[in-house]
Amino acid sequence: MFIQTESTPNPATLKFLPGQTVLEAGTADFPSAATAEKSPLAARIFAVDGVSGVFFGTDFVTVTKADAVQWDHIKPALLGAIMEHFQSGQPVMESGDQPASGHAEHTGEDGEIVGQIKELLDTRVRPAVAQDGGDITFHGFDRGVVYLHMQGACAGCPSSTLTLKMGIENLLRHYIPEVTEVRPVAV
């Protein structure tokens, strides 16, 4: 098994490509070791000293490290942990714990607008962000303001504000005139 790595725009995250499916659908975010109990793979990665976050996409694993740790020191252990997991035959997620689409549900009079927002996020934004080892999901819409949740490499990325304001906000405002602003939200 050969695992490739790619840097991301966030210097605290590294994208690992195991060359096989990680999740059949959706994404899974583990912002702390305490949240990793539903995933044998995430738990194994958090066992490496210095790991502060784990994120799964369909064909990648994004790992976030603590500021005090250098990639050179933990990358070999992470490669070993990921390889051991896939060779063990254990599932990535415990049975019954399937990742969701990531988008928050929305009910109300803005249903049509929210549907358009989610469609643009799914077709234009999320595939591009996944290339960088992250995900951006819909969190809410209120009086013209779209609230988005940033995960994986996008959470804490120095360029995330620029991505939100110049990229996503401009895209949504272009296609959906009711959108006036995009803001990140911490979940």
Side-chain angles (χ1 to χ4, degrees), residues 15-27:
K15 184 176 174 183
F16 293 81
L17 299 146
Q20 60 191 62
T21 301
V22 177
L23 290 179
E24 291 295 329
T27 60

Side-chain angles (χ1 to χ4, degrees), residues 47-62:
V48 175
D49 261 352
V51 172
S52 63
V54 177
F55 180 80
F56 299 153
T58 53
D59 64 348
F60 66 89
V61 174
T62 301

Side-chain angles (χ1 to χ4, degrees), residues 3-176:
I3 301 171
Q4 293 180 305
T5 59
E6 291 180 2
S7 59
T8 71
N10 185 346
T13 65
L14 195 58
K15 184 176 174 183
F16 293 81
L17 299 146
Q20 60 191 62
T21 301
V22 177
L23 290 179
E24 291 295 329
T27 60
D29 190 25
F30 305 96
S32 68
T35 61
E37 61 194 29
K38 296 177 181 177
S39 169
L41 176 56
R44 196 180 293 242
I45 293 169
F46 272 111
V48 175
D49 261 352
V51 172
S52 63
V54 177
F55 180 80
F56 299 153
T58 53
D59 64 348
F60 66 89
V61 174
T62 301
V63 178
T64 304
K65 69 171 186 65
D67 290 337
V69 179
Q70 298 299 314
W71 281 118
D72 293 346
H73 297 146
I74 65 169
K75 186 176 170 182
L78 291 169
L79 287 165
I82 294 168
M83 188 176 297
E84 285 172 16
H85 176 82
F86 282 106
Q87 291 175 341
S88 76
Q90 281 187 298
V92 171
M93 303 289 288
E94 293 293 341
S95 59
D97 285 312
Q98 296 305 315
S101 74
H103 294 307
E105 292 299 317
H106 181 87
T107 56
E109 75 249 12
D110 296 324
E112 188 176 320
I113 295 169
V114 169
Q116 292 174 0
I117 292 168
K118 289 180 180 181
E119 174 74 18
L120 282 170
L121 289 174
D122 287 342
T123 59
R124 302 275 182 109
V125 176
R126 293 176 84 186
V129 172
Q131 294 292 317
D132 288 337
D135 197 12
I136 295 178
T137 57
F138 174 82
H139 185 76
F141 178 73
D142 184 36
R143 290 178 281 200
V145 180
V146 177
Y147 296 92
L148 300 176
H149 181 218
M150 305 178 87
Q151 301 171 303
C154 295
C157 178
S159 62
S160 65
T161 303
L162 186 64
T163 300
L164 267 183
K165 289 294 180 191
M166 301 307 291
I168 300 168
E169 184 175 291
N170 286 345
L171 174 82
L172 292 177
R173 288 173 68 187
H174 176 76
Y175 287 103
I176 307 167

